[in-house]
Amino acid sequence: MLKNREAYICLSAMLRAREPKLLTAEQAEHMIDAPSFEDAAKTLTDLGYEDMSHMTAKETERALTLRREAVFAEIDRLCPDKGLTDIFRLKYDYHNLKVIIKSEASGTEASGLLSGSGRMDPQELKSLYNEAQYRYMPGKLGEAAEEAKNLLARTSNPQLSDFLLDRAYFAELSTVAESSGNDFLKGYAKLLIDIANLKGIVRTLRMGKSRDFLEDVLVTGGKISVRDILSADNTEKIFVLFSRAGLEKVCEAGRQAVEGGRLTEFELVCDNAVNSYIKLSRHVTYGSEPVAAYLASIENETTAVRMILTGKLAGIKSEILRERLRDLYV
């Protein structure tokens, strides 16, 4: 225990010292207002990024992925809890499974959409899936892959497989967070599930889908139980449930989205709610909280940088990019 404590103190101090190199809101604004993609990319070199000013969109995506993977690998090496990065890697494994299944259903090649930030190499995952070697996949991924493949074979509906994999992802996320014994990580997992359910509810209502569809969309493990959601008599009562769990701003944005407001604005408020939770870790000196916060901040920063750079390449107006920008950790 003492050795782990000392390791966490050293790692937390190292990551705190790196926070000044994280992208700030002011720097993001500078990138957005830059006259060109090249100028926006040059801004990042002072933060330790490689020079991406000469890259294509595909090359930029690869550079950002490799940078994120390097952070994951370093934390894996230094962190006493070797499963901590799994909380952040999990979603990439399940994303890759979705890509593989949709590719199988459509008969198209989609390797370019696979991410290398999961727990296992995406091409190895693809080979194991194609060969039905599920037992060699990490955690609960193999069980989920087999169920999704069988569901696709029965229904020929990749969307149902998506729903199944979403439930499997959040179930494993809850398991990993619970096994950490850390209240901050457990709260983080519950918040992600509540946000996912709110997004599912809003999309279901906007599309005019049935209660059965909503049941397929909802996942268990959040502060608000699926049973309570489905027991609510109307939409407003559902939003009240989530408001009482501290998600008032998200619910208000959800109401507006249901009434015809822009879905992108609702999703931005959802992401900012998660970022606000992560910022609570600033009050913790050492332990898994600062490590998890740093990993989350890298994820958030990568999303922001990708959005700005690809937007610059696509010629998207600065005001639109500014509207899409999420809150940053620093």
Side-chain angles (χ1 to χ4, degrees):
M1 286 295 292
L2 181 60
K3 187 175 181 180
N4 283 355
R5 180 175 179 273
E6 292 174 348
Y8 264 126
I9 291 173
C10 291
L11 179 56
S12 298
M14 182 188 79
L15 297 180
R16 292 295 191 201
R18 289 184 182 179
E19 286 185 2
K21 286 288 189 178
L22 292 173
L23 183 71
T24 66
E26 182 179 357
Q27 290 165 327
E29 289 282 349
H30 180 71
M31 290 178 66
I32 288 173
D33 290 331
S36 67
F37 164 79
E38 291 77 14
D39 291 316
K42 286 287 188 182
T43 301
L44 295 167
T45 57
D46 291 338
L47 301 180
Y49 284 78
E50 67 173 296
D51 185 358
M52 296 184 284
S53 62
H54 60 287
M55 294 184 181
T56 64
K58 186 175 182 179
E59 290 168 341
T60 300
E61 175 62 32
R62 175 170 172 76
L64 293 176
T65 298
L66 289 175
R67 188 174 190 274
R68 178 178 59 209
E69 177 54 34
V71 173
F72 282 174
E74 182 181 35
I75 299 301
D76 277 337
R77 187 174 70 254
L78 299 176
C79 187
D81 180 2
K82 299 307 178 185
L84 182 57
T85 59
D86 282 356
I87 289 177
F88 299 90
R89 289 185 182 275
L90 277 170
K91 65 180 179 182
Y92 297 106
D93 285 328
Y94 284 93
H95 161 80
N96 288 340
L97 262 183
K98 287 183 179 182
V99 171
I100 292 167
I101 288 172
K102 287 178 181 176
S103 178
E104 178 183 50
S106 63
T108 59
E109 176 56 45
S111 294
L113 299 176
L114 296 173
S115 171
S117 297
R119 291 168 295 177
M120 68 181 306
D121 178 81
Q123 293 301 328
E124 181 183 359
L125 176 62
K126 183 178 179 181
S127 295
L128 292 175
Y129 176 84
N130 291 335
E131 297 166 8
Q133 297 294 317
Y134 309 112
R135 66 184 181 278
Y136 297 112
M137 296 180 187
K140 298 293 185 179
L141 194 64
E143 181 181 332
E146 184 174 13
E147 290 180 10
K149 188 179 182 74
N150 291 337
L151 181 60
L152 179 65
R154 292 197 310 271
T155 65
S156 300
N157 187 344
Q159 185 181 54
L160 294 179
S161 294
D162 269 8
F163 292 156
L164 186 152
L165 291 175
D166 283 339
R167 289 193 295 272
Y169 158 62
F170 284 113
E172 188 166 4
L173 177 68
S174 292
T175 298
V176 173
E178 287 292 332
S179 66
S180 73
N182 183 279
D183 289 339
F184 178 80
L185 295 177
K186 288 188 282 187
Y188 178 65
K190 287 182 180 296
L191 176 60
L192 290 180
I193 293 170
D194 284 334
I195 292 292
N197 281 337
L198 268 171
K199 288 181 177 179
I201 290 163
V202 168
R203 290 196 181 99
T204 299
L205 292 170
R206 281 172 64 97
M207 292 186 296
K209 293 290 188 178
S210 67
R211 180 189 175 89
D212 289 341
F213 183 89
L214 180 59
E215 286 190 50
D216 286 334
V217 169
L218 295 174
V219 295
T220 60
K223 283 186 178 179
I224 309 303
S225 71
V226 170
R227 182 182 62 184
D228 287 345
I229 295 170
L230 294 174
S231 297
D233 294 334
N234 54 55
T235 303
E236 183 54 32
K237 287 186 178 180
I238 292 177
F239 285 130
V240 168
L241 287 172
F242 285 94
S243 293
R244 289 173 179 168
L247 294 171
E248 296 92 340
K249 290 183 180 179
V250 180
C251 289
E252 181 54 36
R255 289 186 185 96
Q256 294 175 15
V258 170
E259 293 170 1
R262 288 192 295 180
L263 197 59
T264 52
E265 291 185 4
F266 165 65
E267 291 175 342
L268 185 148
V269 176
C270 287
D271 292 345
N272 286 345
V274 176
N275 294 334
S276 294
Y277 180 86
I278 291 297
K279 289 179 181 180
L280 295 175
S281 68
R282 287 176 172 171
H283 304 296
V284 181
T285 305
Y286 69 89
S288 56
E289 289 91 338
V291 180
Y294 186 79
L295 290 170
S297 68
I298 290 296
E299 290 272 71
N300 191 29
E301 178 176 302
T302 302
T303 299
V305 168
R306 180 191 299 110
M307 184 273 292
I308 295 171
L309 293 183
T310 55
K312 285 290 184 182
L313 281 171
I316 297 175
K317 293 180 179 180
S318 295
E319 54 264 31
I320 296 176
L321 295 179
R322 190 169 287 107
E323 289 175 357
R324 296 176 180 175
L325 183 65
R326 272 59 174 164
D327 289 344
L328 294 165
Y329 182 69
V330 293

